Coordinates of all heavy atoms in Angstrom, one line a residue:
L47 N 54.4 -60.7 22.0 CA 55.8 -60.5 22.5 C 56.4 -59.5 21.6 O 57.2 -58.5 22.1 CB 56.5 -61.8 22.6 CG 57.9 -61.7 23.1 CD1 58.0 -61.1 24.5 CD2 58.6 -63.0 23.1
A48 N 56.3 -59.6 20.3 CA 56.9 -58.8 19.3 C 56.5 -57.3 19.5 O 57.3 -56.4 19.4 CB 56.8 -59.3 17.9
L49 N 55.2 -57.1 19.6 CA 54.6 -55.8 19.8 C 55.2 -55.2 21.1 O 55.4 -54.0 21.2 CB 53.2 -55.8 19.8 CG 52.6 -56.2 18.4 CD1 51.1 -56.6 18.6 CD2 52.7 -55.0 17.4
N50 N 55.3 -55.9 22.1 CA 55.8 -55.4 23.4 C 57.3 -55.0 23.2 O 57.6 -53.9 23.7 CB 55.7 -56.6 24.5 CG 56.1 -56.0 25.9 OD1 57.0 -55.2 26.1 ND2 55.4 -56.7 26.9
I51 N 58.1 -55.8 22.6 CA 59.5 -55.4 22.3 C 59.5 -54.1 21.5 O 60.3 -53.2 21.8 CB 60.2 -56.6 21.6 CG1 60.4 -57.7 22.6 CG2 61.6 -56.1 21.2 CD1 60.8 -59.1 22.0
A52 N 58.8 -54.2 20.4 CA 58.8 -52.9 19.6 C 58.3 -51.7 20.3 O 58.8 -50.6 20.0 CB 57.9 -53.1 18.3
S53 N 57.3 -51.9 21.2 CA 56.9 -50.7 22.0 C 57.9 -50.1 22.9 O 57.8 -48.9 23.3 CB 55.6 -51.1 22.9 OG 56.0 -51.9 24.0
K54 N 59.0 -50.8 23.1 CA 60.1 -50.3 23.9 C 61.2 -49.6 23.1 O 62.2 -49.2 23.6 CB 60.8 -51.4 24.8 CG 59.8 -52.2 25.6 CD 59.0 -51.4 26.6 CE 58.2 -52.3 27.5 NZ 56.8 -52.0 27.5
G55 N 60.9 -49.5 21.7 CA 61.7 -48.9 20.9 C 62.7 -49.7 20.1 O 63.5 -49.2 19.3
F56 N 62.7 -51.0 20.3 CA 63.6 -51.9 19.7 C 63.0 -52.2 18.2 O 61.9 -52.7 18.2 CB 63.8 -53.2 20.5 CG 64.5 -52.9 21.8 CD1 63.8 -52.8 22.9 CD2 65.9 -52.8 21.8 CE1 64.5 -52.6 24.1 CE2 66.5 -52.7 23.0 CZ 65.8 -52.5 24.2
K57 N 63.9 -52.2 17.2 CA 63.5 -52.6 16.0 C 63.4 -54.2 15.9 O 64.3 -54.8 16.4 CB 64.5 -52.1 14.8 CG 64.1 -52.5 13.5 CD 65.0 -52.0 12.4 CE 64.6 -52.5 11.1 NZ 65.6 -52.2 10.1
I58 N 62.2 -54.6 15.4 CA 62.1 -56.1 15.5 C 61.5 -56.6 14.0 O 60.7 -55.9 13.4 CB 61.2 -56.4 16.6 CG1 61.1 -58.0 16.8 CG2 59.8 -55.8 16.5 CD1 60.6 -58.4 18.2
S59 N 61.9 -57.7 13.7 CA 61.4 -58.4 12.5 C 60.6 -59.6 13.0 O 60.9 -60.3 14.0 CB 62.6 -58.9 11.6 OG 63.4 -57.9 11.2
V60 N 59.5 -59.8 12.3 CA 58.6 -60.9 12.6 C 58.4 -61.7 11.3 O 58.4 -61.3 10.2 CB 57.2 -60.5 13.2 CG1 57.5 -59.8 14.5 CG2 56.5 -59.7 12.3
C61 N 58.1 -63.1 11.5 CA 57.9 -63.9 10.4 C 56.8 -65.0 10.9 O 56.9 -65.4 12.1 CB 59.1 -64.6 10.0 SG 59.0 -65.6 8.4
N62 N 56.0 -65.3 10.0 CA 55.0 -66.4 10.3 C 54.7 -67.2 9.1 O 54.7 -66.6 8.0 CB 53.8 -65.8 11.0 CG 52.8 -66.8 11.6 OD1 52.3 -67.8 11.0 ND2 52.7 -66.7 13.0
R63 N 54.3 -68.5 9.2 CA 53.9 -69.3 8.1 C 52.6 -68.8 7.5 O 52.3 -69.0 6.3 CB 53.8 -70.8 8.5 CG 55.1 -71.4 8.9 CD 54.9 -72.8 9.4 NE 54.1 -72.7 10.6 CZ 53.4 -73.7 11.2 NH1 53.4 -74.9 10.6 NH2 52.7 -73.6 12.3
S64 N 51.9 -68.1 8.4 CA 50.5 -67.6 7.9 C 50.7 -66.2 7.5 O 50.8 -65.3 8.4 CB 49.5 -67.8 9.1 OG 49.4 -69.2 9.5
P65 N 50.6 -65.9 6.2 CA 50.7 -64.5 5.7 C 49.7 -63.5 6.5 O 50.1 -62.4 6.7 CB 50.4 -64.6 4.3 CG 50.8 -65.9 3.9 CD 50.4 -66.8 5.1
D66 N 48.5 -64.0 6.8 CA 47.5 -63.1 7.4 C 47.9 -62.7 8.8 O 47.7 -61.6 9.2 CB 46.2 -63.9 7.5 CG 45.5 -64.1 6.2 OD1 45.9 -63.5 5.2 OD2 44.6 -64.9 6.0
K67 N 48.7 -63.6 9.5 CA 49.2 -63.2 10.9 C 50.3 -62.2 10.7 O 50.4 -61.2 11.6 CB 49.7 -64.4 11.6 CG 48.5 -65.4 12.0 CD 48.9 -66.5 12.8 CE 47.8 -67.5 13.2 NZ 48.1 -68.5 14.0
V68 N 51.1 -62.3 9.8 CA 52.1 -61.3 9.5 C 51.4 -59.9 9.2 O 51.8 -58.9 9.9 CB 53.1 -61.7 8.4 CG1 54.1 -60.5 8.1 CG2 53.9 -62.9 8.7
D69 N 50.5 -59.9 8.3 CA 49.8 -58.7 8.0 C 49.1 -58.1 9.1 O 49.1 -56.9 9.4 CB 48.8 -58.9 6.8 CG 49.5 -59.3 5.5 OD1 50.7 -59.0 5.4 OD2 48.8 -60.0 4.7
A70 N 48.5 -58.9 10.0 CA 47.7 -58.4 11.2 C 48.7 -57.8 12.1 O 48.4 -56.7 12.7 CB 46.9 -59.6 11.8
T71 N 49.9 -58.4 12.4 CA 50.8 -57.9 13.3 C 51.4 -56.6 12.9 O 51.6 -55.6 13.6 CB 52.0 -59.0 13.6 OG1 51.4 -60.1 14.1 CG2 52.9 -58.4 14.6
V72 N 51.8 -56.5 11.6 CA 52.3 -55.2 11.0 C 51.2 -54.1 11.2 O 51.5 -53.0 11.5 CB 52.7 -55.4 9.6 CG1 53.0 -54.1 8.9 CG2 53.9 -56.4 9.5
A73 N 49.9 -54.4 10.8 CA 48.9 -53.4 11.0 C 48.7 -53.0 12.4 O 48.6 -51.8 12.6 CB 47.6 -54.0 10.4
R74 N 48.8 -53.8 13.3 CA 48.6 -53.5 14.7 C 49.8 -52.7 15.2 O 49.6 -51.7 15.9 CB 48.5 -54.8 15.5 CG 48.2 -54.5 17.0 CD 47.8 -55.7 17.7 NE 47.8 -55.4 19.2 CZ 47.9 -56.3 20.1 NH1 47.8 -57.5 19.8 NH2 47.9 -56.0 21.4
A75 N 51.0 -53.0 14.7 CA 52.2 -52.1 15.1 C 52.0 -50.7 14.6 O 52.3 -49.8 15.3 CB 53.4 -52.7 14.5
K76 N 51.5 -50.6 13.4 CA 51.2 -49.2 12.9 C 50.1 -48.5 13.6 O 50.3 -47.3 14.0 CB 50.8 -49.4 11.4 CG 50.7 -48.0 10.6 CD 50.6 -48.3 9.1 CE 50.5 -47.0 8.4 NZ 51.7 -46.1 8.5
D77 N 49.1 -49.3 14.0 CA 48.0 -48.6 14.7 C 48.4 -48.3 16.1 O 47.8 -47.3 16.7 CB 46.7 -49.6 14.8 CG 46.1 -49.9 13.5 OD1 46.3 -49.0 12.5 OD2 45.3 -50.8 13.4
E78 N 49.3 -49.0 16.7 CA 49.7 -48.7 18.1 C 50.8 -47.7 18.2 O 51.6 -47.6 19.1 CB 50.1 -49.9 18.8 CG 48.9 -50.9 19.0 CD 49.2 -52.1 19.8 OE1 50.3 -52.2 20.4 OE2 48.4 -53.0 19.8
G79 N 51.1 -47.0 17.1 CA 52.0 -45.8 17.2 C 53.1 -45.9 16.2 O 54.3 -45.5 16.5
D80 N 52.9 -46.6 15.1 CA 53.9 -46.8 14.1 C 55.2 -47.4 14.7 O 56.3 -46.9 14.5 CB 54.2 -45.5 13.4 CG 54.8 -45.8 11.9 OD1 54.7 -46.9 11.4 OD2 55.4 -44.8 11.4
L81 N 55.0 -48.5 15.4 CA 56.1 -49.2 16.1 C 57.1 -49.7 15.1 O 56.8 -50.0 14.0 CB 55.6 -50.3 16.9 CG 54.5 -50.0 18.0 CD1 54.0 -51.2 18.8 CD2 55.1 -49.0 19.0
P82 N 58.4 -49.8 15.5 CA 59.5 -50.3 14.6 C 59.5 -51.8 14.4 O 60.3 -52.5 14.9 CB 60.8 -49.8 15.4 CG 60.3 -49.9 16.8 CD 58.9 -49.5 16.8
L83 N 58.5 -52.3 13.7 CA 58.2 -53.7 13.4 C 58.1 -53.9 11.9 O 57.4 -53.2 11.3 CB 57.0 -54.2 14.2 CG 56.6 -55.6 14.1 CD1 56.1 -56.1 15.4 CD2 55.7 -55.9 13.0
V84 N 58.9 -54.9 11.4 CA 58.8 -55.2 10.0 C 58.4 -56.7 9.9 O 58.9 -57.6 10.6 CB 60.1 -55.1 9.3 CG1 60.1 -55.4 7.8 CG2 60.7 -53.6 9.5
G85 N 57.4 -57.0 9.0 CA 56.9 -58.3 8.8 C 57.5 -59.0 7.6 O 57.7 -58.3 6.6
F86 N 57.7 -60.3 7.7 CA 58.3 -61.0 6.6 C 57.5 -62.3 6.4 O 57.1 -62.9 7.5 CB 59.8 -61.4 6.9 CG 60.6 -60.1 6.8 CD1 60.9 -59.4 7.9 CD2 61.2 -59.7 5.7 CE1 61.7 -58.4 8.0 CE2 62.0 -58.6 5.6 CZ 62.2 -57.9 6.8
K87 N 57.3 -62.8 5.3 CA 56.7 -64.0 4.9 C 57.6 -65.1 4.4 O 57.3 -66.2 4.4 CB 55.5 -63.7 4.0 CG 54.5 -62.9 4.6 CD 53.5 -62.3 3.5 CE 52.6 -61.2 4.2 NZ 51.8 -60.5 3.3
D88 N 58.8 -64.6 4.1 CA 59.8 -65.5 3.6 C 60.9 -65.7 4.7 O 61.5 -64.7 5.1 CB 60.4 -64.9 2.3 CG 61.6 -65.8 1.7 OD1 61.2 -66.8 1.2 OD2 62.8 -65.4 2.0
P89 N 61.2 -66.9 5.1 CA 62.2 -67.1 6.1 C 63.6 -66.6 5.8 O 64.2 -66.1 6.7 CB 62.2 -68.6 6.4 CG 61.0 -69.1 5.8 CD 60.6 -68.2 4.7
E90 N 64.0 -66.7 4.6 CA 65.3 -66.2 4.2 C 65.4 -64.6 4.4 O 66.3 -64.1 5.0 CB 65.7 -66.6 2.9 CG 67.2 -66.2 2.5 CD 67.6 -66.8 1.2 OE1 66.8 -67.3 0.4 OE2 68.9 -66.7 0.9
E91 N 64.4 -64.0 3.9 CA 64.3 -62.5 4.0 C 64.3 -62.1 5.5 O 64.9 -61.2 5.9 CB 63.1 -61.9 3.2 CG 63.2 -62.1 1.8 CD 62.0 -61.6 1.0 OE1 61.1 -61.0 1.7 OE2 62.0 -61.7 -0.3
F92 N 63.5 -62.8 6.2 CA 63.4 -62.6 7.7 C 64.8 -62.7 8.3 O 65.2 -61.8 9.0 CB 62.4 -63.6 8.3 CG 62.5 -63.7 9.8 CD1 62.1 -62.6 10.6 CD2 63.0 -64.8 10.5 CE1 62.2 -62.7 12.0 CE2 63.1 -65.0 11.9 CZ 62.7 -63.8 12.6
V93 N 65.4 -63.8 8.2 CA 66.8 -64.0 8.8 C 67.7 -62.9 8.3 O 68.5 -62.3 9.1 CB 67.3 -65.4 8.5 CG1 68.8 -65.5 8.9 CG2 66.5 -66.4 9.2
N94 N 67.8 -62.6 7.0 CA 68.6 -61.6 6.5 C 68.4 -60.1 7.0 O 69.2 -59.2 6.9 CB 68.7 -61.6 5.0 CG 69.4 -62.9 4.4 OD1 70.2 -63.4 5.1 ND2 69.0 -63.3 3.3
S95 N 67.1 -59.9 7.6 CA 66.8 -58.6 8.1 C 67.4 -58.3 9.5 O 67.3 -57.2 9.9 CB 65.3 -58.4 8.1 OG 64.8 -59.2 9.2
I96 N 67.9 -59.4 10.1 CA 68.4 -59.3 11.5 C 69.8 -59.0 11.5 O 70.7 -59.7 10.8 CB 68.0 -60.6 12.2 CG1 66.5 -60.8 12.2 CG2 68.5 -60.4 13.7 CD1 66.0 -62.2 12.7
V97 N 70.2 -58.1 12.4 CA 71.7 -57.7 12.6 C 72.5 -59.0 13.1 O 71.9 -59.5 14.1 CB 71.8 -56.5 13.4 CG1 73.3 -56.2 13.7 CG2 71.1 -55.3 12.8
K98 N 73.7 -59.2 12.6 CA 74.5 -60.2 13.2 C 75.3 -59.8 14.4 O 75.6 -58.6 14.5 CB 75.5 -60.7 12.1 CG 74.8 -61.3 10.8 CD 75.9 -61.7 9.8 CE 75.2 -62.1 8.5 NZ 76.3 -62.5 7.5
P99 N 75.4 -60.6 15.4 CA 74.9 -62.1 15.4 C 73.5 -62.0 15.7 O 73.0 -61.2 16.5 CB 75.8 -62.7 16.5 CG 76.2 -61.5 17.4 CD 76.3 -60.4 16.5
R100 N 72.7 -62.8 15.0 CA 71.3 -62.8 15.1 C 70.8 -63.5 16.4 O 71.4 -64.4 16.8 CB 70.7 -63.5 13.9 CG 71.1 -62.9 12.6 CD 70.6 -63.8 11.4 NE 71.0 -63.3 10.1 CZ 72.1 -63.7 9.5 NH1 72.8 -64.8 10.0 NH2 72.4 -63.3 8.3
R101 N 69.7 -63.0 16.8 CA 69.0 -63.6 18.1 C 67.6 -63.6 17.7 O 66.9 -62.7 17.4 CB 69.2 -62.6 19.2 CG 70.7 -62.7 19.8 CD 71.2 -61.4 20.3 NE 70.8 -60.1 19.9 CZ 71.4 -59.4 19.1 NH1 72.5 -59.8 18.4 NH2 70.9 -58.2 18.7
I102 N 67.1 -64.9 17.6 CA 65.7 -65.1 17.1 C 65.0 -65.8 18.2 O 65.4 -66.9 18.8 CB 65.7 -66.0 15.9 CG1 66.4 -65.4 14.7 CG2 64.3 -66.5 15.6 CD1 66.6 -66.2 13.4
I103 N 63.8 -65.2 18.6 CA 63.0 -65.9 19.6 C 61.8 -66.5 18.8 O 61.1 -65.8 18.1 CB 62.3 -64.8 20.6 CG1 63.5 -64.2 21.4 CG2 61.4 -65.5 21.6 CD1 63.1 -63.0 22.2
M104 N 61.6 -67.7 19.0 CA 60.4 -68.4 18.3 C 59.4 -68.9 19.3 O 59.8 -69.4 20.4 CB 60.9 -69.5 17.4 CG 61.6 -70.6 18.0 SD 62.1 -71.8 16.7 CE 61.9 -73.2 17.6
L105 N 58.2 -68.7 19.0 CA 57.1 -69.2 19.8 C 56.3 -70.1 18.9 O 55.3 -69.7 18.3 CB 56.2 -68.0 20.3 CG 57.0 -66.9 21.1 CD1 56.1 -65.7 21.3 CD2 57.5 -67.4 22.4
V106 N 56.6 -71.4 19.0 CA 56.1 -72.3 18.2 C 55.6 -73.5 19.0 O 56.4 -73.9 20.0 CB 57.0 -72.8 17.0 CG1 56.5 -73.9 16.2 CG2 57.5 -71.7 16.2
K107 N 54.5 -74.3 18.6 CA 54.1 -75.4 19.4 C 55.2 -76.4 19.5 O 55.9 -76.7 18.5 CB 52.8 -76.0 18.7 CG 52.3 -77.2 19.4 CD 51.0 -77.6 18.7 CE 50.5 -78.9 19.4 NZ 49.3 -79.3 18.7
A108 N 55.3 -77.0 20.6 CA 56.4 -78.0 20.8 C 56.3 -79.2 20.0 O 55.2 -79.5 19.3 CB 56.4 -78.5 22.3
G109 N 57.4 -79.9 19.7 CA 57.5 -81.1 18.8 C 57.9 -80.9 17.5 O 58.8 -80.0 17.2
K110 N 57.2 -81.5 16.5 CA 57.6 -81.4 15.1 C 57.6 -80.0 14.6 O 58.3 -79.7 13.8 CB 56.8 -82.4 14.3 CG 57.2 -83.8 14.5 CD 56.4 -84.8 13.5 CE 56.8 -86.2 14.0 NZ 56.5 -87.1 12.9
P111 N 56.5 -79.2 15.0 CA 56.6 -77.8 14.5 C 57.9 -77.0 14.8 O 58.4 -76.3 13.9 CB 55.4 -77.2 15.2 CG 54.4 -78.3 15.4 CD 55.3 -79.5 15.8
V112 N 58.4 -77.2 16.0 CA 59.6 -76.6 16.4 C 60.7 -77.1 15.6 O 61.5 -76.3 15.0 CB 59.9 -76.8 18.0 CG1 61.3 -76.4 18.3 CG2 58.9 -76.0 18.8
D113 N 60.8 -78.3 15.4 CA 61.9 -78.9 14.6 C 61.8 -78.4 13.2 O 62.9 -78.1 12.6 CB 61.8 -80.5 14.7 CG 61.9 -81.1 16.0 OD1 62.5 -80.4 16.9 OD2 61.6 -82.3 16.2
G114 N 60.7 -78.3 12.6 CA 60.5 -77.8 11.3 C 61.0 -76.4 11.1 O 61.7 -76.0 10.2
V115 N 60.6 -75.6 12.1 CA 61.0 -74.1 12.0 C 62.6 -74.0 12.2 O 63.3 -73.3 11.5 CB 60.3 -73.3 13.1 CG1 60.9 -71.9 13.2 CG2 58.9 -73.2 12.8
I116 N 63.1 -74.8 13.1 CA 64.6 -74.8 13.4 C 65.3 -75.2 12.0 O 66.2 -74.6 11.6 CB 65.0 -75.6 14.5 CG1 64.5 -74.9 15.8 CG2 66.5 -75.8 14.6 CD1 64.7 -75.8 17.1
E117 N 64.8 -76.3 11.4 CA 65.4 -76.7 10.2 C 65.4 -75.7 9.1 O 66.3 -75.5 8.4 CB 64.6 -78.1 9.7 CG 65.2 -78.7 8.6 CD 64.5 -79.9 8.1 OE1 64.0 -80.7 9.0 OE2 64.5 -80.2 6.9
T118 N 64.2 -75.0 9.0 CA 64.0 -73.9 8.0 C 65.0 -72.8 8.3 O 65.7 -72.3 7.4 CB 62.6 -73.4 7.9 OG1 61.8 -74.5 7.6 CG2 62.5 -72.3 6.9
L119 N 65.0 -72.3 9.5 CA 65.9 -71.2 9.8 C 67.4 -71.5 9.7 O 68.2 -70.6 9.3 CB 65.5 -70.6 11.2 CG 64.1 -70.1 11.4 CD1 63.9 -69.7 12.8 CD2 63.9 -68.9 10.4
T120 N 67.9 -72.6 10.2 CA 69.3 -72.9 10.2 C 69.9 -72.9 8.9 O 71.1 -72.6 8.7 CB 69.6 -74.2 11.0 OG1 68.8 -75.3 10.3 CG2 69.3 -74.2 12.4
K121 N 69.2 -73.0 7.9 CA 69.6 -72.9 6.5 C 70.3 -71.6 6.2 O 71.1 -71.4 5.3 CB 68.6 -73.2 5.4 CG 68.0 -74.6 5.4 CD 66.8 -74.7 4.4 CE 66.0 -75.9 4.8 NZ 64.8 -75.9 3.9
F122 N 69.8 -70.6 6.9 CA 70.2 -69.2 6.6 C 71.0 -68.5 7.7 O 71.4 -67.4 7.6 CB 68.9 -68.4 6.4 CG 67.9 -69.0 5.5 CD1 66.7 -69.4 5.8 CD2 68.3 -69.2 4.1 CE1 65.7 -70.1 5.0 CE2 67.4 -69.8 3.3 CZ 66.2 -70.2 3.6
L123 N 71.3 -69.3 8.8 CA 71.9 -68.7 10.0 C 73.5 -69.0 9.8 O 73.9 -69.9 9.1 CB 71.5 -69.4 11.2 CG 70.1 -69.1 11.6 CD1 69.6 -69.9 12.8 CD2 69.8 -67.7 11.8
D124 N 74.3 -68.2 10.6 CA 75.7 -68.3 10.6 C 76.1 -68.8 12.0 O 75.4 -68.6 13.0 CB 76.3 -66.9 10.3 CG 76.0 -66.4 8.9 OD1 76.0 -67.2 8.0 OD2 75.8 -65.1 8.8
P125 N 77.4 -69.3 12.1 CA 78.0 -69.7 13.4 C 77.8 -68.4 14.3 O 78.1 -67.3 13.9 CB 79.4 -70.0 13.1 CG 79.3 -70.5 11.7 CD 78.3 -69.5 11.0
G126 N 77.4 -68.7 15.5 CA 77.2 -67.5 16.5 C 75.8 -67.0 16.6 O 75.4 -66.3 17.6
D127 N 75.0 -67.3 15.6 CA 73.5 -66.9 15.7 C 72.8 -67.7 16.7 O 73.3 -68.9 17.0 CB 72.9 -67.0 14.3 CG 73.4 -66.1 13.3 OD1 74.0 -65.0 13.7 OD2 73.1 -66.3 12.1
L128 N 71.7 -67.3 17.3 CA 71.1 -67.9 18.5 C 69.6 -68.0 18.1 O 68.9 -67.1 17.7 CB 71.3 -67.1 19.6 CG 70.6 -67.5 20.9 CD1 71.2 -68.9 21.4 CD2 70.7 -66.4 21.9
I129 N 69.0 -69.2 18.4 CA 67.6 -69.4 18.4 C 67.2 -69.7 19.8 O 67.6 -70.6 20.4 CB 67.1 -70.5 17.4 CG1 67.5 -70.3 16.0 CG2 65.6 -70.8 17.6 CD1 67.2 -71.4 15.0
V130 N 66.2 -69.0 20.3 CA 65.5 -69.2 21.6 C 64.2 -69.8 21.4 O 63.3 -69.2 20.8 CB 65.5 -67.9 22.5 CG1 64.8 -68.2 23.8 CG2 66.9 -67.3 22.7
D131 N 63.9 -71.0 21.9 CA 62.6 -71.6 21.8 C 61.8 -71.2 23.0 O 62.0 -71.6 24.1 CB 62.7 -73.1 21.8 CG 61.4 -73.8 21.7 OD1 60.4 -73.1 21.6 OD2 61.4 -75.0 21.9
G132 N 60.9 -70.2 22.8 CA 60.1 -69.5 23.8 C 58.7 -70.2 23.9 O 57.9 -69.7 24.6
G133 N 58.5 -71.2 23.1 CA 57.2 -71.9 23.1 C 57.0 -72.6 24.5 O 57.9 -72.8 25.2
N134 N 55.7 -72.9 24.7 CA 55.4 -73.5 26.1 C 54.3 -74.6 25.8 O 53.3 -74.3 25.1 CB 54.9 -72.5 27.0 CG 54.7 -73.0 28.4 OD1 55.2 -74.1 28.7 ND2 54.1 -72.2 29.2
E135 N 54.6 -75.8 26.3 CA 53.7 -76.8 26.3 C 53.5 -77.4 27.8 O 54.5 -77.5 28.4 CB 54.1 -78.0 25.4 CG 53.9 -77.7 23.9 CD 52.5 -77.9 23.4 OE1 51.7 -78.7 23.8 OE2 52.2 -77.1 22.5
W136 N 52.4 -77.7 28.1 CA 52.1 -78.3 29.4 C 52.0 -79.8 29.3 O 51.1 -80.2 28.5 CB 51.0 -77.7 30.1 CG 50.8 -78.2 31.5 CD1 51.6 -78.1 32.6 CD2 49.7 -79.1 31.9 NE1 51.0 -78.8 33.7 CE2 50.0 -79.4 33.3 CE3 48.6 -79.6 31.3 CZ2 49.1 -80.2 34.0 CZ3 47.8 -80.5 32.0 CH2 47.9 -80.7 33.3
F137 N 52.8 -80.6 29.9 CA 52.7 -82.0 29.8 C 52.4 -82.5 31.3 O 53.3 -82.4 32.2 CB 54.0 -82.6 29.4 CG 54.3 -82.3 27.9 CD1 55.2 -81.3 27.6 CD2 53.6 -83.0 26.9 CE1 55.5 -81.0 26.3 CE2 53.9 -82.7 25.5 CZ 54.8 -81.7 25.3
P138 N 51.2 -83.2 31.5 CA 51.0 -83.7 32.8 C 51.8 -84.8 33.2 O 52.4 -85.5 32.5 CB 49.5 -84.1 32.7 CG 49.2 -84.1 31.3 CD 50.2 -83.4 30.5

């Protein structure tokens, strides 16, 4: 999703708990035309890289992982910032 957004010319910041995934996404953005994508491994640096009011789309497994990411990010957010939970779980 981040690469798709960047390919449309929008500057985008990405963050992941796995440093290798950040590095791979940044490398792919460079390979696909030096897309305007910046990778972060530190949640505070990630949040501070986003223009206010911030809009964050997260794609995280439902349940405790989502709660953990929200708890981490909200430490650095301001009133009016927005988190969109774009993760998907199928429950029969």
Side-chain angles (χ1 to χ4, degrees):
L47 181 60
L49 291 164
N50 186 327
I51 293 168
S53 74
K54 307 300 184 237
F56 294 97
K57 182 179 178 189
I58 188 162
S59 296
V60 298
C61 186
N62 194 297
R63 294 173 296 162
S64 303
D66 292 344
K67 290 185 179 184
V68 174
D69 294 339
T71 302
V72 170
R74 187 168 165 195
K76 186 168 182 64
D77 291 345
E78 292 186 14
D80 206 16
L81 301 177
L83 182 145
V84 181
F86 294 90
K87 298 167 186 168
D88 178 77
E90 184 174 12
E91 290 177 5
F92 164 69
V93 169
N94 289 333
S95 74
I96 304 169
V97 175
K98 296 177 185 181
R100 299 173 184 101
R101 292 147 328 263
I102 297 172
I103 301 171
M104 61 180 213
L105 302 171
V106 178
K107 185 177 178 179
K110 289 186 181 194
V112 168
D113 296 340
V115 172
I116 291 172
E117 183 178 328
T118 297
L119 294 177
T120 54
K121 296 175 196 170
F122 313 114
L123 297 177
D124 295 324
D127 291 344
L128 174 71
I129 297 176
V130 175
D131 176 7
N134 189 10
E135 285 282 323
W136 180 70
F137 292 100

